[in-house]
Every structure is written in C-alpha cells, then in structure tokens.
Amino acid sequence: MAKKQRSLKTQLNYAVSESKKTGQSKHADKHTPNIDTKNFIYSDESADAYRDTITNFVNYMKEAHPEIKYVRDLTVDHFNGWITAREKDWRNKTYDNMVSRVGKLERMLNRTYHLELDLTTNLGHRPIDRMDKTQIRNLAMSRDDLNKLKCELGKSKSPNALRAIEITSRTGLRVNEVSHLRFDHIDL
C-alpha cells in the first residue's frame, strides 16, 4: 500500500514540532556548546505563533501555487509573494516579525528535513513610503487616568493587576516586560 503524502501544512508544522524545546531553558542553551538557540522554539506561545503563520502561508500557497506539495520545493519567491500579498494589512512590527519567522522557519526546515533551502536571500524589504506611516506612541497616560485605573484595579480579584500597573507607571516598563519580570531581574 502506498504511503499517503503529507500536506505542505503538515510538513511545515512537523518542522515546528521537531524544533520545540518547551520547558527547557533558552538561556542555559545559549551557554551550551553546539546548540544554536536560533534553530529552536522554547515556548508554546512561540510554537502557536509559527503554526498560525504556517496556516496563513499555506492558505496563500493553495491559491497562488497549488502545484507545490513539498517543503523542498519552496523558494524565496513563494515567501516574497505571500508577504507582498499580505503586507498591506500589516503594521511594521508585524511585517518584521513575519520576515523573522521566515528566517527561523528556513533553519527549522533545513535541520528537520536535511535540506539546504534559501528562503531569506532577497526576501523583500518594506518600501520606504510604508515605513513613514509608522505611528510613534509617545504620549504618557495622564495622572487622572492612572488614578482611575488604579481605583478600578483595586476592586479586582487579582492583586497582581494593581502591582503590575504600579510597576509600569513607576518604571516605564512595557506590559510584556512586566509580565515576564522576576525578582532576580531586580537589582536593589
């Protein structure tokens, strides 16, 4: 009986699964010889982001290049086409993330399937006129709004919510930075 061909999406997702090191320390691996942390995924959140990117890319491929069935047949032109088709809906940060994900996906595919794909050379760069539309957030929350927020969070069942707002307002840390803050990060 002939072996059933795995879909392009399944092949791409398999590379992500093979590159997951959930529960292992990325920082410890950085100091381990012969382990390049750029080839691996260390959190379920990151793996989910790659799966979502893969789903979007595969949907594009089904429309634009239905003849491509294997990861070994992917080229930088396929990813350029996908980025060009989708970038009008992306902010600069999303665009940069997608280009970065293509690079990491290239490394994961090459390691998993023993390929030598080149998916990033000549990968498109965002035109200058799109970059000029970036909005810079440089307005701080007013003291009155901050006090209203603290008052509402004081009623919250989560004591950490108010603490997070206090830390953010006093240090200028971003939400993501506060959510990953650990005691050993603080030098008193």
Side-chain angles (χ1 to χ4, degrees), residues 168-181:
T168 300
S169 66
R170 293 179 185 200
T171 63
L173 291 173
R174 296 180 177 101
V175 172
N176 189 36
E177 294 167 332
V178 171
S179 67
H180 291 95
L181 187 64

Side-chain angles (χ1 to χ4, degrees), residues 33-116:
N34 302 324
I35 294 183
D36 185 359
T37 58
K38 293 177 186 173
N39 293 331
F40 297 100
I41 297 174
Y42 289 86
S43 72
D44 289 330
E45 182 181 288
S46 292
D48 289 343
Y50 276 92
R51 285 189 200 98
D52 185 48
T53 300
I54 287 167
T55 298
N56 289 323
F57 174 70
V58 168
N59 288 340
Y60 162 79
M61 289 298 288
K62 285 178 184 176
E63 295 170 16
H65 301 283
E67 73 281 3
I68 301 297
K69 303 291 184 197
Y70 298 101
V71 294
R72 69 175 176 251
D73 298 326
L74 293 173
T75 67
V76 69
D77 292 334
H78 297 125
F79 284 94
N80 266 330
W82 170 63
I83 288 171
T84 301
R86 302 296 191 254
E87 75 166 328
K88 65 184 177 299
D89 299 323
W90 294 342
R91 293 197 176 271
N92 286 336
K93 185 66 175 171
T94 303
Y95 179 89
D96 292 342
N97 283 338
M98 293 304 163
V99 170
S100 175
R101 285 184 193 159
V102 170
K104 189 163 192 162
L105 191 57
E106 171 191 287
R107 292 188 295 277
M108 290 188 290
L109 290 170
N110 286 337
R111 189 180 58 75
T112 302
Y113 293 108
H114 310 288
L115 300 171
E116 293 183 19

Side-chain angles (χ1 to χ4, degrees), residues 14 22-23 38 47 60 63 86 116 138 150 182 185:
Y14 180 74
T22 306
K38 293 177 186 173
Y60 162 79
E63 295 170 16
R86 302 296 191 254
E116 293 183 19
N138 59 359
K150 287 180 183 178
R182 294 192 328 240
H185 292 158

